[in-house]
Amino acid sequence: MKTAQNTAQAESQTATNGATMTPAETASPQVTEMHPIKMTARKVDVFYGTKQALFGVDLEIRDNAVTALIGPSGCGKSTFLRCLNRMNDVIDNCRVEGEIRLGDTNIYGANIDPVLLRARVGMVFQKPNPFPKSIYENIAYGPRIHGMAERRAEMDEIVETSLRKAALWDEVKDRLQEPGTGLSGGQQQRLCIARAIAVNPEVILMDEPCSALDPIATARVEELIDELRENYTIVIVTHSMQQAARVSQRTAFFHLGNLVEEDETDQIFTNPRDKRTQDYITGRFG
Amino acid sequence: MTTGAAPASFVSDAALKRLQKRKAADQRLKYYGLGAIGIALLLLATLVTSLIITGHTAFLQTHVTYPVYLDPAKIDAQDPSKGNYRSIVRDSFTALFPEVTAVREKRALTDILTSAAPYILRDEVVDDPELIGQTIDFTVPVSDPFDQFMKGNIKRETPEDDRRVSDQEIAWVDQLVAEGRLSKPFNIGLLTNADSRFPEMAGLAGAITGSFFALLVCFLISFPTGIAAAVYLEEFAPKNKFTDLIEVNINNLAAVPSVVFGLLGLAVFLGTFGLPRSAPLVGGMTLALMTLPTIIITTRASLKAVPPSIREAALGIGASKHQVMMHHVVPLAMPGILTGTIIGLAQALGETAPLLLIGMNAFITSPPGGILDPSTALPTQIFIWADSPERGFVSRTSAAILVLLGFLVAMNAIAIYLRRRFERRW
């Protein structure tokens, strides 16, 4: 990892100081090999009515890595995140232009069903939002509507695996029939992560998943995110720069609807190229 | 002192005066509210008390019990429904008063019994033909004037010319009382009999059944339609001039006077479709028109109250719009929807005008067997009875109102229970 960092640093020094740049230019060769590109955004513009919220965002999301989106409130990071599984579709008068690819597929293509897309690109929200049903039902709901389990035993297995992956199994295995809303905030958020995992997605989007949690619960969830990286691609929006530094491998800094800078996390936090990034991470605004 | 520079003083005369004024205004506001509530409660109490005072006597009914010899010569043993029951009833009753011999007096004596007595006796014999040839203890309601006399509504002190019961009749009644033949049990007939010309025989069974059928039809039509319309408007409808127009009109519909719906029912359901007059089916359909806006409005409010996080959660794991609605949002909104529906139905239960227009105020002496049979409903039955001149119908009208209020209170209680029981906190 040391080499990767050095290379990234070296490369960033040689890079031009333009405000927008393609991430491929900045990524070190090792990272590119270790983490092939999972999702690509090209020239993404988002409009709410006549108001433009995102301006020509180009970003690559790498496989089996955590990409953190940071930036001050209203900078468009959540908007961008919600473009990745087309959750913006449900908002009236929201319009997305440009192209976002998952693998080779343009997810805004004409023949793409957003419902199926969301099974492949799952989402965890800011406030834990378990269904007011039992813990078991919370997990089983997704697999059931996607027809992933035919028999009860298969469903039991999916539920157990998902809860284990979300590091929640030991805490809830004796009370699967109790309501999910009765868990503590941190447990609820891990339940929501387990629910997202249950439909076996490739990418998990997290929109400030720890902002409603206390520090201990936050630590558990961060630990979990790090474990999940092995099997999933994770994109996380966070307001906490410490969190971005702790959990992510790559970081993208948004400001006023523009993607200002995207690079290795260490690079962004130790040696940002753009003055705005530097001002933000040193706490001068935002 | 320069303007605005000094900090406000707590103790200056002006400050204390202002404080006093503010406190007085607060107090006044409180007492206005208390006064308003007091007046509302007083009016309600007056209404209920006056209903109970006039209506309570209708819950009891004076009955007379006397031996009847079922003379085999007067009844067709093959077909017990044929027989001279009138003479059986009369002869057995006059036998109690051997001193009465004149035909006119005998007829007056028989008037103590309800005019329906021969039919009651016939029904008893038809139910059990074994009784023919025996002497049975026969219990029948007394006719209305004597019922009123026994309940004290006709007073002995009133001069004979001014009262419905003559001195002679009072003497007979006194004799019956002395022999212990009169009793005043709970008037079960009020709930089990259908309407009748004779107050002592009139009951609410037909009206209750008719109202039940009408509400059932109303529920079956308005509940699914209302939910479907609300779900569409809330979740699927694009925001444009056309849906705005629909929305405004639904809200207006809730304010349309009910008699207008009655006219519509008369013109469309009876006139165009040719559905049967006075039928609970038509009544229910007309009431459904009135209940629909209520259900749509409350359903939309309940759907709005389901937090967006639940929709997002379901959408986020790949549920389709239909699945989000049917699996999550609608079930979570259901307590609110049911509460609104019950309140809408309670309104419909009390609605009179549209039912009058479609003929549900007909005089019908048997409860409806189905939604196509002619029938009355509780509010129209009250209307009919309130229009009847017999003394007995006065108290029965009040009693019917009490029964209707009882149903309304019960329905509202169910609504409150549902709301409490299934209320969720997020």
Side-chain angles (χ1 to χ4, degrees):
Chain A
M1 209 54 216
K2 189 80 181 153
T3 27
Q5 260 179 42
N6 289 344
T7 328
Q9 266 178 12
E11 206 175 282
S12 77
Q13 276 152 13
T14 57
T16 52
N17 53 0
T20 51
M21 60 192 83
T22 48
E25 279 177 88
T26 61
S28 63
Q30 285 90 338
V31 170
T32 316
E33 270 167 41
M34 275 171 58
H35 303 291
I37 291 167
K38 186 77 191 173
M39 295 189 84
T40 322
R42 284 281 171 267
K43 293 201 176 56
V44 174
D45 293 324
V46 178
F47 301 85
Y48 292 115
T50 51
K51 190 176 165 289
Q52 189 164 3
L54 279 183
F55 299 86
V57 172
D58 285 324
L59 183 64
E60 272 147 16
I61 313 280
R62 291 178 181 281
D63 202 4
N64 294 3
V66 178
T67 304
L69 310 181
I70 60 169
S73 296
C75 68
K77 52 193 190 310
S78 285
T79 299
F80 179 73
L81 188 78
R82 296 167 71 96
C83 288
L84 297 177
N85 68 345
R86 295 185 59 171
M87 281 295 275
N88 284 335
D89 286 18
V90 294
I91 300 171
D92 282 345
N93 75 30
C94 176
R95 199 170 88 247
V96 179
E97 286 175 3
E99 188 184 271
I100 297 176
R101 307 187 81 83
L102 172 64
D104 295 330
T105 325
N106 179 7
I107 62 170
Y108 280 89
N111 53 352
I112 296 299
D113 178 11
V115 167
L116 287 178
L117 171 71
R118 290 184 201 129
R120 290 178 63 182
V121 183
M123 191 153 191
V124 176
F125 297 86
Q126 184 169 359
K127 238 182 93 191
N129 55 355
F131 299 130
K133 302 180 181 206
S134 70
I135 294 171
Y136 184 96
E137 273 306 308
N138 262 282
I139 310 289
Y141 179 69
R144 183 174 304 133
I145 60 173
H146 293 295
M148 290 167 66
E150 303 219 322
R151 279 171 291 117
R152 176 86 190 179
E154 288 177 75
M155 189 60 89
D156 289 347
E157 200 185 318
I158 291 177
V159 171
E160 181 173 345
T161 320
S162 308
L163 285 170
R164 277 191 195 284
K165 281 188 190 162
L168 193 59
W169 174 252
D170 291 331
E171 292 161 58
V172 302
K173 64 182 174 203
D174 299 324
R175 44 178 181 147
L176 290 176
Q177 295 311 323
E178 284 175 32
T181 41
L183 297 172
S184 74
Q187 288 173 323
Q188 285 191 18
Q189 195 59 299
R190 278 181 282 144
L191 179 65
C192 292
I193 294 174
R195 182 176 66 189
I197 294 171
V199 292
N200 206 13
E202 298 159 56
V203 183
I204 302 174
L205 309 177
M206 298 188 177
D207 192 353
E208 298 182 46
C210 300
S211 66
L213 305 183
D214 67 52
I216 294 169
T218 301
R220 302 268 342 238
V221 171
E222 286 180 4
E223 211 175 294
L224 172 62
I225 293 172
D226 202 50
E227 286 164 22
L228 292 174
R229 180 162 67 86
E230 265 183 51
N231 300 307
Y232 304 94
T233 302
I234 294 171
V235 185
I236 176 171
V237 165
T238 175
H239 265 126
S240 152
M241 277 168 287
Q242 290 85 344
Q243 185 171 67
R246 282 193 299 263
V247 301
S248 72
Q249 282 68 55
R250 295 190 69 86
T251 299
F253 172 63
F254 284 75
H255 185 229
L256 298 176
N258 292 297
L259 172 61
V260 175
E261 189 169 349
E262 191 272 339
D263 209 331
E264 300 276 303
T265 299
D266 293 340
Q267 182 68 25
I268 291 273
F269 281 98
T270 55
N271 193 9
R273 276 167 312 216
D274 195 286
K275 181 149 186 326
R276 287 171 291 177
T277 318
Q278 181 157 20
D279 287 352
Y280 182 69
I281 61 171
T282 52
R284 236 164 275 169
F285 72 90
Chain B
M1 193 183 280
T2 50
T3 48
S9 162
F10 287 117
V11 290
S12 77
D13 278 354
L16 287 175
K17 225 172 176 175
R18 275 200 304 275
L19 180 69
Q20 220 166 22
K21 254 176 113 176
R22 273 204 310 274
K23 275 188 173 163
D26 287 353
Q27 289 291 321
R28 273 203 308 279
L29 187 63
K30 197 172 94 183
Y31 289 127
Y32 290 154
L34 276 175
I37 291 173
I39 291 172
L41 285 180
L42 191 73
L43 290 176
L44 188 68
T46 315
L47 171 76
V48 173
T49 326
S50 77
L51 282 175
I52 290 176
I53 288 172
T54 45
H56 78 279
T57 53
F59 287 101
L60 300 177
Q61 172 68 45
T62 315
H63 283 72
V64 58
T65 308
Y66 70 99
V68 168
Y69 173 59
L70 292 166
D71 188 352
K74 292 180 178 169
I75 303 171
D76 184 346
Q78 300 304 313
D79 184 1
S81 65
K82 287 189 187 132
N84 195 351
Y85 290 103
R86 183 172 300 275
S87 106
I88 298 176
V89 164
R90 190 186 56 216
D91 293 352
S92 300
F93 192 62
T94 47
L96 297 174
F97 303 89
E99 73 281 3
V100 178
T101 48
V103 172
R104 183 130 56 88
E105 283 198 326
K106 274 190 174 180
R107 188 175 298 147
L109 186 56
T110 320
D111 279 347
I112 292 179
L113 302 174
T114 172
S115 314
Y119 311 115
I120 299 173
L121 183 65
R122 181 193 66 196
D123 290 347
E124 276 185 27
V125 174
V126 168
D127 281 349
D128 185 7
E130 300 279 296
L131 295 177
I132 299 171
Q134 298 181 25
T135 300
I136 59 166
D137 267 341
F138 182 50
T139 305
V140 272
V142 301
S143 67
D144 186 48
F146 298 93
D147 186 37
Q148 298 305 324
F149 174 73
M150 287 304 292
K151 286 169 179 170
N153 291 336
I154 295 176
K155 294 200 167 43
R156 202 181 284 265
E157 299 81 49
T158 319
E160 189 177 6
D161 293 347
D162 293 348
R163 58 171 137 80
R164 278 279 273 114
V165 189
S166 67
D167 288 345
Q168 174 64 69
E169 286 165 334
I170 290 179
W172 289 332
V173 170
D174 285 343
Q175 188 187 333
L176 287 171
V177 172
E179 289 170 11
R181 299 197 182 276
L182 292 184
S183 57
K184 253 196 286 183
F186 177 73
N187 186 6
I188 196 95
L190 184 67
L191 298 174
T192 55
N193 290 351
D195 200 7
S196 165
R197 270 181 301 126
F198 315 117
E200 67 274 12
M201 292 304 295
L204 290 168
I208 291 172
T209 327
S211 271
F212 172 77
F213 281 138
L215 281 191
L216 188 71
V217 171
C218 173
F219 174 79
L220 290 179
I221 294 174
S222 59
F223 187 67
T225 322
I227 291 184
V231 166
Y232 174 78
L233 287 173
E234 200 53 42
E235 306 289 332
F236 293 94
K239 291 269 165 290
N240 58 30
K241 286 239 168 68
F242 180 65
T243 49
D244 282 352
L245 188 76
I246 292 181
E247 205 169 328
V248 168
N249 276 306
I250 286 173
N251 292 334
N252 283 343
L253 218 52
V256 169
S258 57
V259 67
V260 176
F261 288 106
L263 284 169
L264 188 134
L266 177 65
V268 176
F269 300 144
L270 297 183
T272 312
F273 296 160
L275 292 170
R277 188 170 281 271
S278 306
L281 172 69
V282 182
M285 285 162 75
T286 313
L287 294 175
L289 294 174
M290 298 189 44
T291 318
L292 253 182
T294 316
I295 294 186
I296 292 177
I297 291 167
T298 49
T299 302
R300 291 189 66 181
S302 317
L303 290 175
K304 271 202 190 97
V306 174
S309 65
I310 295 293
R311 288 164 225 254
E312 287 191 326
L315 282 173
I317 49 173
S320 67
K321 213 161 184 176
H322 147 257
Q323 287 165 331
V324 173
M325 289 313 295
M326 298 319 288
H327 296 167
H328 299 283
V329 179
V330 172
L332 289 174
M334 206 34 100
I337 298 175
L338 287 178
T339 309
T341 308
I342 292 171
I343 287 170
L345 288 179
Q347 268 174 11
L349 175 64
E351 203 52 71
T352 324
L355 301 183
L356 295 181
L357 282 167
I358 57 155
M360 282 189 82
N361 57 339
F363 174 68
I364 291 148
T365 52
S366 62
I371 55 171
L372 291 172
D373 291 353
S375 151
T376 56
L378 271 172
T380 46
Q381 191 66 62
I382 292 168
F383 182 82
I384 299 168
W385 283 358
D387 242 12
S388 304
E390 286 87 350
R391 186 75 195 248
F393 280 123
V394 175
S395 59
R396 272 180 155 71
T397 304
S398 295
I401 294 172
L402 286 173
V403 170
L404 178 62
L405 287 180
F407 277 110
L408 292 178
V409 168
M411 287 173 82
N412 284 326
I414 293 172
I416 290 169
Y417 170 78
L418 283 176
R419 195 161 48 206
R420 289 268 165 82
R421 172 78 177 71
F422 294 106
E423 193 175 46
R424 284 173 200 276
R425 288 181 178 71
W426 314 93

